[in-house]
């Protein structure tokens, strides 16, 4: 029996997911990672006894992770411990103007009602619809390969047309008048990389993921989850190669035959790229590229980010593990990302303080903090601009939380547009991929399979189902099913 080989470019969650499924299906799987650490954007940064998740820090949709492990007769608990955060997060709208989002939905309803009369009942109706959308999405839609519009209309979505015509913002602003409540409900779609005014109401399923399923924390951070996928992959026989950037993909007769890595030529049978889709196609001769640079330039990219990894010499007060700072204009910042791209005039920002929950990520008595400002992709990225915005957010953090912090900073490291380009070959330095707007949903996204190279496939945030860790895990599953389906006749003939 001849074992077929699949070569995978990149080791983010989509690639790791696909590697596990393909190895389980009997393929010899090898993964080539450009960087010195596995995990793609979910790498870890260490300094002076501090540990930081460099990318994703929110653990939402735990059922998607469990479904993944169940496919291998495993559980997440076999690899890492989860803690449900309560409260899930805090939002600052100004000094002494905060909302804590409880881990208990009935308490969230009470919070809404206390702020706006009748908002509690309206929230219950909104989340009930969001749950229906979540059930449609997670049980069916997002596990479709995005090959045909019939994937959308063959389900309950045919009876829910308004869910794709109306936007998140349409529904939220019709039902809730208090601007703070509106922002609480609109911010989760930022994880989908688009403005609430451009995101179909169907994606309210993210609100159910938030209020219904809760916010969790894997002990040790998201790097622990990466490690669990790698461990499972190795148990299944997957082989990993680090410091292995692909410089060229060779094609003959519409078949990828080999790729160039560090001056070596690696033979290919089937190739799957979990690296940046647009970049991967530049490794091909132009005649074999499905999408042009102008195609990508016309697309609505999800934001980039300016991140800071900061070690504080003391514990902070008046913050939670996840804390959002919305003391500026939500709409103005969104316009400065999507409509008139520029550095934000008064940025909203997010902060993660994992050492509040997990003492293993910072030395005793000290605080690890990650700060994130969403940005338009492809902005001019300079050290001076990074320092300017660090000072802006630290001063606001001090003011809003009523504490002095500047003299307690042990170090700060930054990560921005140019780093996303350098480390991940990210198109325009985007952080999250392709936004989930109406015309970039499901079958309207770039395809999982190349139209011009028969044995070349793609997975991850620039294809279906979209940006975020759970969608990436799902993307790995559905592309592996496509590969198995295409190769099955030849595979059986070789037995």
């Amino acid at each position: 029996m001849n074992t077929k080989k699949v070569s995978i470019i990149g080791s983010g969650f989509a690639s790791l997911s696909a590697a596990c499924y393909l190895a389980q299906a009997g393929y010899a799987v090898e993964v080539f990672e450009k960087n010195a650490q596995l995990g793609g954007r979910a790498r870890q940064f260490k300094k002076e006894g501090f540990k930081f998740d460099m990318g994703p820090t929110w653990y939402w949709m735990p059922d998607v992770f469990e479904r993944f492990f169940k496919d291998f007769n495993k559980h997440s608990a076999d690899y890492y411990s989860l803690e449900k955060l309560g409260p899930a997060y805090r939002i600052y709208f100004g000094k002494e103007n905060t909302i804590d989002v409880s881990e208990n939905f009935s308490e969230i309803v009470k919070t809404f009602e206390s702020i706006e009369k009748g908002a509690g009942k309206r929230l219950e109706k909104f989340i009930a619809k969001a749950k229906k959308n979540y059930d449609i999405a997670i049980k069916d839609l997002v596990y479709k390969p995005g090959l045909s519009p019939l994937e959308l209309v063959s389900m309950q979505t045919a009876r829910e047309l308004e869910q794709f015509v109306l936007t998140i913002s349409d529904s939220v602003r019709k039902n809730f008048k208090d601007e703070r409540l509106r922002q609480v409900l609109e911010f989760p779609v930022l994880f989908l990389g688009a403005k609430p005014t451009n995101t179909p109401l169907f994606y309210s399923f993210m609100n159910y993921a938030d209020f219904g399923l809760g916010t969790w924390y894997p002990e040790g951070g998201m790097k622990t989850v990466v490690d669990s996928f790698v461990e499972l992959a190795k148990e299944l026989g997957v082989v990993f190669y680090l410091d292995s950037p692909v410089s060229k993909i060779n094609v003959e007769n519409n078949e990828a035959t080999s790729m160039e890595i560090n001056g070596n030529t690696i033979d290919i049978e089937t190739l799957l790229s979990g690296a940046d889709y647009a970049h991967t196609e530049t490794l091909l001769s132009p005649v074999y590229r499905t999408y042009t640079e102008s195609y990508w330039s016309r697309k609505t990219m999800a934001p980039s980010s300016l991140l800071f990894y900061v070690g504080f010499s003391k514990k902070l007060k008046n913050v939670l593990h996840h804390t959002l700072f919305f003391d500026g204009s939500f709409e103005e910042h969104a316009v400065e990302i999507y409509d008139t791209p520029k550095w934000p005039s008064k940025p909203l920002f997010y902060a993660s303080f994992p050492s509040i929950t997990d003492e293993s990520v910072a030395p005793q008595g000290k605080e690890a903090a990650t700060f994130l400002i969403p940005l338009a992709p492809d902005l001019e990225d300079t050290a001076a601009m990074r320092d300017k915005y660090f000072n802006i957010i630290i001063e606001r953090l001090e003011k809003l939380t009523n504490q002095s912090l500047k003299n307690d900073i042990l170090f700060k490291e930054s990560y921005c547009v140019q780093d996303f380009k350098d480390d991940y070959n990210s198109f325009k330095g985007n952080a999250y991929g392709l936004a989930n707007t109406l015309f970039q949903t499901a079958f309207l996204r770039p395809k999982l399979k190349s139209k011009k190279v028969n044995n070349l496939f793609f997975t991850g945030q620039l294809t279906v189902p979209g940006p975020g860790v759970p969608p990436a895990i799902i993307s790995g599953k559905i592309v592996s099913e496509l590969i198995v389906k295409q190769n099955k006749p030849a595979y059986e003939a070789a037995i």
Side-chain angles (χ1 to χ4, degrees), residues 231-270:
E231 183 178 345
L232 174 59
K234 289 181 176 179
E235 291 172 6
L236 293 164
V238 177
V239 178
F240 292 91
Y241 299 93
L242 297 173
D243 300 306
S244 299
V246 178
S247 56
K248 185 181 179 183
I249 299 171
N250 300 310
V251 179
E252 296 178 12
N253 300 319
N254 301 103
E255 296 278 338
T257 57
S258 63
M259 56 185 173
E260 308 296 327
I261 299 177
N262 295 330
N264 299 312
T265 299
I266 309 298
D267 291 337
I268 292 169
E269 292 183 21
T270 296

mmCIF file of all heavy atoms in Angstrom, residues 231-270:
data_model
loop_
_atom_site.group_PDB
_atom_site.id
_atom_site.type_symbol
_atom_site.label_atom_id
_atom_site.label_comp_id
_atom_site.label_asym_id
_atom_site.label_seq_id
_atom_site.Cartn_x
_atom_site.Cartn_y
_atom_site.Cartn_z
ATOM 1 N N GLU A 231 0.607 18.308 19.744
ATOM 2 C CA GLU A 231 0.774 17.003 20.382
ATOM 3 C C GLU A 231 -0.112 15.949 19.712
ATOM 4 O O GLU A 231 0.343 14.835 19.421
ATOM 5 C CB GLU A 231 0.430 17.098 21.876
ATOM 6 C CG GLU A 231 0.635 15.791 22.637
ATOM 7 C CD GLU A 231 0.333 15.915 24.114
ATOM 8 O OE1 GLU A 231 0.243 17.048 24.634
ATOM 9 O OE2 GLU A 231 0.181 14.855 24.768
ATOM 10 N N LEU A 232 -1.364 16.316 19.456
ATOM 11 C CA LEU A 232 -2.265 15.387 18.780
ATOM 12 C C LEU A 232 -1.749 15.049 17.386
ATOM 13 O O LEU A 232 -1.748 13.873 16.971
ATOM 14 C CB LEU A 232 -3.676 15.994 18.700
ATOM 15 C CG LEU A 232 -4.717 15.201 17.898
ATOM 16 C CD1 LEU A 232 -4.916 13.801 18.475
ATOM 17 C CD2 LEU A 232 -6.050 15.960 17.877
ATOM 18 N N ALA A 233 -1.294 16.075 16.665
ATOM 19 C CA ALA A 233 -0.772 15.844 15.314
ATOM 20 C C ALA A 233 0.414 14.885 15.331
ATOM 21 O O ALA A 233 0.505 13.969 14.504
ATOM 22 C CB ALA A 233 -0.373 17.176 14.678
ATOM 23 N N LYS A 234 1.304 15.080 16.284
ATOM 24 C CA LYS A 234 2.463 14.189 16.372
ATOM 25 C C LYS A 234 2.051 12.768 16.745
ATOM 26 O O LYS A 234 2.638 11.791 16.249
ATOM 27 C CB LYS A 234 3.464 14.746 17.387
ATOM 28 C CG LYS A 234 4.185 15.993 16.899
ATOM 29 C CD LYS A 234 5.202 16.507 17.920
ATOM 30 C CE LYS A 234 5.985 17.695 17.387
ATOM 31 N NZ LYS A 234 6.962 18.219 18.375
ATOM 32 N N GLU A 235 1.044 12.653 17.612
ATOM 33 C CA GLU A 235 0.519 11.325 17.940
ATOM 34 C C GLU A 235 0.009 10.611 16.689
ATOM 35 O O GLU A 235 0.092 9.383 16.577
ATOM 36 C CB GLU A 235 -0.629 11.440 18.947
ATOM 37 C CG GLU A 235 -0.220 11.875 20.341
ATOM 38 C CD GLU A 235 -1.412 12.161 21.242
ATOM 39 O OE1 GLU A 235 -2.565 11.914 20.813
ATOM 40 O OE2 GLU A 235 -1.205 12.650 22.370
ATOM 41 N N LEU A 236 -0.481 11.400 15.734
ATOM 42 C CA LEU A 236 -1.029 10.851 14.489
ATOM 43 C C LEU A 236 0.039 10.683 13.408
ATOM 44 O O LEU A 236 -0.258 10.225 12.307
ATOM 45 C CB LEU A 236 -2.151 11.756 13.975
ATOM 46 C CG LEU A 236 -3.413 11.806 14.849
ATOM 47 C CD1 LEU A 236 -4.274 13.006 14.473
ATOM 48 C CD2 LEU A 236 -4.207 10.517 14.715
ATOM 49 N N GLY A 237 1.274 11.081 13.718
ATOM 50 C CA GLY A 237 2.378 10.869 12.784
ATOM 51 C C GLY A 237 2.789 12.066 11.961
ATOM 52 O O GLY A 237 3.643 11.957 11.070
ATOM 53 N N VAL A 238 2.237 13.242 12.228
ATOM 54 C CA VAL A 238 2.605 14.443 11.475
ATOM 55 C C VAL A 238 4.038 14.851 11.815
ATOM 56 O O VAL A 238 4.458 14.799 12.977
ATOM 57 C CB VAL A 238 1.635 15.611 11.794
ATOM 58 C CG1 VAL A 238 2.060 16.889 11.071
ATOM 59 C CG2 VAL A 238 0.206 15.224 11.406
ATOM 60 N N VAL A 239 4.773 15.267 10.804
ATOM 61 C CA VAL A 239 6.163 15.701 10.964
ATOM 62 C C VAL A 239 6.242 17.215 10.736
ATOM 63 O O VAL A 239 5.664 17.729 9.765
ATOM 64 C CB VAL A 239 7.098 14.975 9.982
ATOM 65 C CG1 VAL A 239 8.531 15.462 10.134
ATOM 66 C CG2 VAL A 239 7.016 13.463 10.191
ATOM 67 N N PHE A 240 6.939 17.935 11.619
ATOM 68 C CA PHE A 240 7.035 19.387 11.542
ATOM 69 C C PHE A 240 8.465 19.822 11.226
ATOM 70 O O PHE A 240 9.426 19.258 11.745
ATOM 71 C CB PHE A 240 6.604 20.023 12.869
ATOM 72 C CG PHE A 240 5.135 19.864 13.171
ATOM 73 C CD1 PHE A 240 4.687 18.767 13.909
ATOM 74 C CD2 PHE A 240 4.206 20.790 12.728
ATOM 75 C CE1 PHE A 240 3.340 18.604 14.198
ATOM 76 C CE2 PHE A 240 2.856 20.641 13.006
ATOM 77 C CZ PHE A 240 2.420 19.549 13.741
ATOM 78 N N TYR A 241 8.565 20.868 10.402
ATOM 79 C CA TYR A 241 9.850 21.475 10.072
ATOM 80 C C TYR A 241 9.764 22.971 10.355
ATOM 81 O O TYR A 241 8.918 23.670 9.784
ATOM 82 C CB TYR A 241 10.200 21.238 8.603
ATOM 83 C CG TYR A 241 10.339 19.785 8.233
ATOM 84 C CD1 TYR A 241 9.250 19.068 7.734
ATOM 85 C CD2 TYR A 241 11.552 19.119 8.383
ATOM 86 C CE1 TYR A 241 9.363 17.721 7.395
ATOM 87 C CE2 TYR A 241 11.686 17.773 8.044
ATOM 88 C CZ TYR A 241 10.582 17.081 7.552
ATOM 89 O OH TYR A 241 10.698 15.752 7.217
ATOM 90 N N LEU A 242 10.623 23.475 11.242
ATOM 91 C CA LEU A 242 10.659 24.894 11.576
ATOM 92 C C LEU A 242 11.673 25.630 10.715
ATOM 93 O O LEU A 242 12.501 25.010 10.034
ATOM 94 C CB LEU A 242 10.999 25.061 13.054
ATOM 95 C CG LEU A 242 10.002 24.473 14.052
ATOM 96 C CD1 LEU A 242 10.562 24.554 15.463
ATOM 97 C CD2 LEU A 242 8.666 25.188 13.963
ATOM 98 N N ASP A 243 11.625 26.960 10.755
ATOM 99 C CA ASP A 243 12.554 27.800 9.983
ATOM 100 C C ASP A 243 12.610 27.360 8.528
ATOM 101 O O ASP A 243 13.680 27.236 7.932
ATOM 102 C CB ASP A 243 13.960 27.755 10.605
ATOM 103 C CG ASP A 243 13.968 28.265 12.033
ATOM 104 O OD1 ASP A 243 13.502 29.393 12.259
ATOM 105 O OD2 ASP A 243 14.429 27.516 12.926
ATOM 106 N N SER A 244 11.431 27.121 7.958
ATOM 107 C CA SER A 244 11.343 26.551 6.610
ATOM 108 C C SER A 244 10.416 27.377 5.721
ATOM 109 O O SER A 244 9.318 26.946 5.351
ATOM 110 C CB SER A 244 10.843 25.102 6.683
ATOM 111 O OG SER A 244 11.721 24.295 7.427
ATOM 112 N N PRO A 245 10.847 28.593 5.341
ATOM 113 C CA PRO A 245 10.016 29.431 4.470
ATOM 114 C C PRO A 245 10.017 28.932 3.027
ATOM 115 O O PRO A 245 11.077 28.569 2.491
ATOM 116 C CB PRO A 245 10.686 30.803 4.569
ATOM 117 C CG PRO A 245 12.121 30.490 4.856
ATOM 118 C CD PRO A 245 12.099 29.263 5.731
ATOM 119 N N VAL A 246 8.842 28.897 2.431
ATOM 120 C CA VAL A 246 8.726 28.476 1.034
ATOM 121 C C VAL A 246 8.970 29.683 0.136
ATOM 122 O O VAL A 246 8.326 30.722 0.291
ATOM 123 C CB VAL A 246 7.335 27.874 0.754
ATOM 124 C CG1 VAL A 246 7.211 27.482 -0.717
ATOM 125 C CG2 VAL A 246 7.085 26.675 1.660
ATOM 126 N N SER A 247 9.912 29.566 -0.798
ATOM 127 C CA SER A 247 10.243 30.684 -1.681
ATOM 128 C C SER A 247 9.654 30.533 -3.077
ATOM 129 O O SER A 247 9.525 31.521 -3.815
ATOM 130 C CB SER A 247 11.760 30.848 -1.785
ATOM 131 O OG SER A 247 12.360 29.635 -2.219
ATOM 132 N N LYS A 248 9.263 29.301 -3.447
ATOM 133 C CA LYS A 248 8.707 29.091 -4.792
ATOM 134 C C LYS A 248 7.950 27.770 -4.832
ATOM 135 O O LYS A 248 8.353 26.798 -4.178
ATOM 136 C CB LYS A 248 9.825 29.070 -5.841
ATOM 137 C CG LYS A 248 9.332 28.967 -7.283
ATOM 138 C CD LYS A 248 10.496 28.938 -8.263
ATOM 139 C CE LYS A 248 10.002 28.813 -9.705
ATOM 140 N NZ LYS A 248 11.133 28.708 -10.666
ATOM 141 N N ILE A 249 6.859 27.749 -5.578
ATOM 142 C CA ILE A 249 6.119 26.513 -5.838
ATOM 143 C C ILE A 249 6.236 26.226 -7.338
ATOM 144 O O ILE A 249 5.858 27.044 -8.173
ATOM 145 C CB ILE A 249 4.632 26.645 -5.446
ATOM 146 C CG1 ILE A 249 4.496 26.937 -3.946
ATOM 147 C CG2 ILE A 249 3.869 25.363 -5.812
ATOM 148 C CD1 ILE A 249 3.079 27.289 -3.523
ATOM 149 N N ASN A 250 6.792 25.067 -7.685
ATOM 150 C CA ASN A 250 6.985 24.687 -9.084
ATOM 151 C C ASN A 250 5.787 23.904 -9.590
ATOM 152 O O ASN A 250 5.276 23.011 -8.901
ATOM 153 C CB ASN A 250 8.256 23.843 -9.230
ATOM 154 C CG ASN A 250 9.495 24.598 -8.780
ATOM 155 O OD1 ASN A 250 9.728 25.727 -9.201
ATOM 156 N ND2 ASN A 250 10.293 23.982 -7.909
ATOM 157 N N VAL A 251 5.325 24.237 -10.783
ATOM 158 C CA VAL A 251 4.135 23.621 -11.367
ATOM 159 C C VAL A 251 4.438 23.115 -12.767
ATOM 160 O O VAL A 251 5.084 23.815 -13.561
ATOM 161 C CB VAL A 251 2.957 24.625 -11.420
ATOM 162 C CG1 VAL A 251 1.719 23.983 -12.049
ATOM 163 C CG2 VAL A 251 2.635 25.158 -10.027
ATOM 164 N N GLU A 252 3.988 21.912 -13.063
ATOM 165 C CA GLU A 252 4.080 21.343 -14.410
ATOM 166 C C GLU A 252 2.749 20.722 -14.777
ATOM 167 O O GLU A 252 2.191 19.951 -13.990
ATOM 168 C CB GLU A 252 5.184 20.282 -14.481
ATOM 169 C CG GLU A 252 6.583 20.819 -14.235
ATOM 170 C CD GLU A 252 7.633 19.717 -14.281
ATOM 171 O OE1 GLU A 252 7.284 18.595 -14.727
ATOM 172 O OE2 GLU A 252 8.776 19.969 -13.852
ATOM 173 N N ASN A 253 2.255 21.070 -15.946
ATOM 174 C CA ASN A 253 0.984 20.508 -16.426
ATOM 175 C C ASN A 253 -0.129 20.649 -15.396
ATOM 176 O O ASN A 253 -0.864 19.697 -15.116
ATOM 177 C CB ASN A 253 1.164 19.034 -16.817
ATOM 178 C CG ASN A 253 2.184 18.852 -17.910
ATOM 179 O OD1 ASN A 253 2.236 19.628 -18.868
ATOM 180 N ND2 ASN A 253 3.027 17.832 -17.768
ATOM 181 N N ASN A 254 -0.222 21.842 -14.820
ATOM 182 C CA ASN A 254 -1.271 22.169 -13.843
ATOM 183 C C ASN A 254 -1.207 21.345 -12.570
ATOM 184 O O ASN A 254 -2.194 21.194 -11.856
ATOM 185 C CB ASN A 254 -2.668 22.034 -14.478
ATOM 186 C CG ASN A 254 -2.841 22.934 -15.679
ATOM 187 O OD1 ASN A 254 -2.785 22.477 -16.824
ATOM 188 N ND2 ASN A 254 -3.029 24.213 -15.419
ATOM 189 N N GLU A 255 -0.024 20.822 -12.257
ATOM 190 C CA GLU A 255 0.180 20.084 -11.013
ATOM 191 C C GLU A 255 1.383 20.678 -10.283
ATOM 192 O O GLU A 255 2.454 20.870 -10.890
ATOM 193 C CB GLU A 255 0.456 18.595 -11.293
ATOM 194 C CG GLU A 255 -0.693 17.845 -11.932
ATOM 195 C CD GLU A 255 -1.725 17.384 -10.907
ATOM 196 O OE1 GLU A 255 -1.383 17.262 -9.714
ATOM 197 O OE2 GLU A 255 -2.873 17.139 -11.315
ATOM 198 N N ALA A 256 1.212 20.973 -8.999
ATOM 199 C CA ALA A 256 2.348 21.405 -8.189
ATOM 200 C C ALA A 256 3.257 20.202 -7.986
ATOM 201 O O ALA A 256 2.821 19.160 -7.471
ATOM 202 C CB ALA A 256 1.879 21.950 -6.853
ATOM 203 N N THR A 257 4.508 20.320 -8.401
ATOM 204 C CA THR A 257 5.425 19.174 -8.362
ATOM 205 C C THR A 257 6.461 19.265 -7.244
ATOM 206 O O THR A 257 6.921 18.249 -6.733
ATOM 207 C CB THR A 257 6.171 19.051 -9.700
ATOM 208 O OG1 THR A 257 6.868 20.284 -9.965
ATOM 209 C CG2 THR A 257 5.191 18.757 -10.834
ATOM 210 N N SER A 258 6.819 20.507 -6.883
ATOM 211 C CA SER A 258 7.824 20.681 -5.831
ATOM 212 C C SER A 258 7.781 22.117 -5.323
ATOM 213 O O SER A 258 7.136 22.993 -5.910
ATOM 214 C CB SER A 258 9.226 20.358 -6.364
ATOM 215 O OG SER A 258 9.581 21.256 -7.403
ATOM 216 N N MET A 259 8.467 22.349 -4.212
ATOM 217 C CA MET A 259 8.598 23.715 -3.698
ATOM 218 C C MET A 259 10.018 23.917 -3.198
ATOM 219 O O MET A 259 10.708 22.966 -2.822
ATOM 220 C CB MET A 259 7.567 23.985 -2.598
ATOM 221 C CG MET A 259 7.592 23.042 -1.428
ATOM 222 S SD MET A 259 6.205 23.403 -0.290
ATOM 223 C CE MET A 259 6.367 22.031 0.864
ATOM 224 N N GLU A 260 10.452 25.183 -3.217
ATOM 225 C CA GLU A 260 11.804 25.542 -2.818
ATOM 226 C C GLU A 260 11.803 26.050 -1.383
ATOM 227 O O GLU A 260 11.062 26.983 -1.049
ATOM 228 C CB GLU A 260 12.365 26.612 -3.751
ATOM 229 C CG GLU A 260 12.276 26.281 -5.232
ATOM 230 C CD GLU A 260 13.106 25.067 -5.619
ATOM 231 O OE1 GLU A 260 14.164 24.873 -4.983
ATOM 232 O OE2 GLU A 260 12.701 24.328 -6.534
ATOM 233 N N ILE A 261 12.622 25.432 -0.528
ATOM 234 C CA ILE A 261 12.736 25.825 0.875
ATOM 235 C C ILE A 261 14.216 25.857 1.259
ATOM 236 O O ILE A 261 14.900 24.825 1.192
ATOM 237 C CB ILE A 261 11.984 24.842 1.802
ATOM 238 C CG1 ILE A 261 10.496 24.813 1.478
ATOM 239 C CG2 ILE A 261 12.207 25.211 3.267
ATOM 240 C CD1 ILE A 261 9.695 23.814 2.308
ATOM 241 N N ASN A 262 14.703 27.017 1.627
ATOM 242 C CA ASN A 262 16.104 27.163 2.062
ATOM 243 C C ASN A 262 17.085 26.547 1.067
ATOM 244 O O ASN A 262 18.069 25.896 1.449
ATOM 245 C CB ASN A 262 16.301 26.529 3.444
ATOM 246 C CG ASN A 262 15.529 27.247 4.533
ATOM 247 O OD1 ASN A 262 15.307 28.444 4.455
ATOM 248 N ND2 ASN A 262 15.107 26.495 5.546
ATOM 249 N N GLY A 263 16.814 26.747 -0.221
ATOM 250 C CA GLY A 263 17.708 26.245 -1.260
ATOM 251 C C GLY A 263 17.511 24.781 -1.608
ATOM 252 O O GLY A 263 18.200 24.265 -2.501
ATOM 253 N N ASN A 264 16.597 24.113 -0.930
ATOM 254 C CA ASN A 264 16.314 22.713 -1.215
ATOM 255 C C ASN A 264 15.004 22.572 -1.980
ATOM 256 O O ASN A 264 14.082 23.376 -1.814
ATOM 257 C CB ASN A 264 16.227 21.906 0.083
ATOM 258 C CG ASN A 264 17.524 21.930 0.862
ATOM 259 O OD1 ASN A 264 18.601 21.708 0.299
ATOM 260 N ND2 ASN A 264 17.430 22.214 2.155
ATOM 261 N N THR A 265 14.921 21.540 -2.792
ATOM 262 C CA THR A 265 13.708 21.264 -3.560
ATOM 263 C C THR A 265 12.961 20.110 -2.894
ATOM 264 O O THR A 265 13.516 19.011 -2.745
ATOM 265 C CB THR A 265 14.036 20.897 -5.018
ATOM 266 O OG1 THR A 265 14.715 21.997 -5.630
ATOM 267 C CG2 THR A 265 12.760 20.608 -5.797
ATOM 268 N N ILE A 266 11.723 20.370 -2.467
ATOM 269 C CA ILE A 266 10.904 19.376 -1.777
ATOM 270 C C ILE A 266 9.805 18.902 -2.718
ATOM 271 O O ILE A 266 9.004 19.702 -3.203
ATOM 272 C CB ILE A 266 10.260 19.974 -0.502
ATOM 273 C CG1 ILE A 266 11.315 20.668 0.374
ATOM 274 C CG2 ILE A 266 9.498 18.906 0.272
ATOM 275 C CD1 ILE A 266 12.394 19.771 0.893
ATOM 276 N N ASP A 267 9.771 17.609 -3.000
ATOM 277 C CA ASP A 267 8.745 17.064 -3.892
ATOM 278 C C ASP A 267 7.357 17.160 -3.259
ATOM 279 O O ASP A 267 7.191 17.038 -2.042
ATOM 280 C CB ASP A 267 9.059 15.612 -4.233
ATOM 281 C CG ASP A 267 10.283 15.475 -5.126
ATOM 282 O OD1 ASP A 267 10.611 16.455 -5.815
ATOM 283 O OD2 ASP A 267 10.910 14.393 -5.120
ATOM 284 N N ILE A 268 6.358 17.342 -4.117
ATOM 285 C CA ILE A 268 4.976 17.516 -3.670
ATOM 286 C C ILE A 268 4.081 16.473 -4.336
ATOM 287 O O ILE A 268 4.225 16.183 -5.520
ATOM 288 C CB ILE A 268 4.446 18.918 -4.051
ATOM 289 C CG1 ILE A 268 5.153 20.005 -3.261
ATOM 290 C CG2 ILE A 268 2.927 19.020 -3.847
ATOM 291 C CD1 ILE A 268 4.862 21.415 -3.773
ATOM 292 N N GLU A 269 3.156 15.932 -3.558
ATOM 293 C CA GLU A 269 2.055 15.150 -4.136
ATOM 294 C C GLU A 269 0.763 15.968 -4.058
ATOM 295 O O GLU A 269 0.104 16.202 -5.058
ATOM 296 C CB GLU A 269 1.915 13.812 -3.409
ATOM 297 C CG GLU A 269 3.089 12.879 -3.645
ATOM 298 C CD GLU A 269 2.909 11.524 -2.969
ATOM 299 O OE1 GLU A 269 1.761 11.152 -2.656
ATOM 300 O OE2 GLU A 269 3.928 10.846 -2.752
ATOM 301 N N THR A 270 0.428 16.371 -2.853
ATOM 302 C CA THR A 270 -0.674 17.315 -2.651
ATOM 303 C C THR A 270 -0.162 18.427 -1.753
ATOM 304 O O THR A 270 0.531 18.172 -0.769
ATOM 305 C CB THR A 270 -1.886 16.631 -1.983
ATOM 306 O OG1 THR A 270 -2.395 15.621 -2.857
ATOM 307 C CG2 THR A 270 -2.998 17.643 -1.711
#
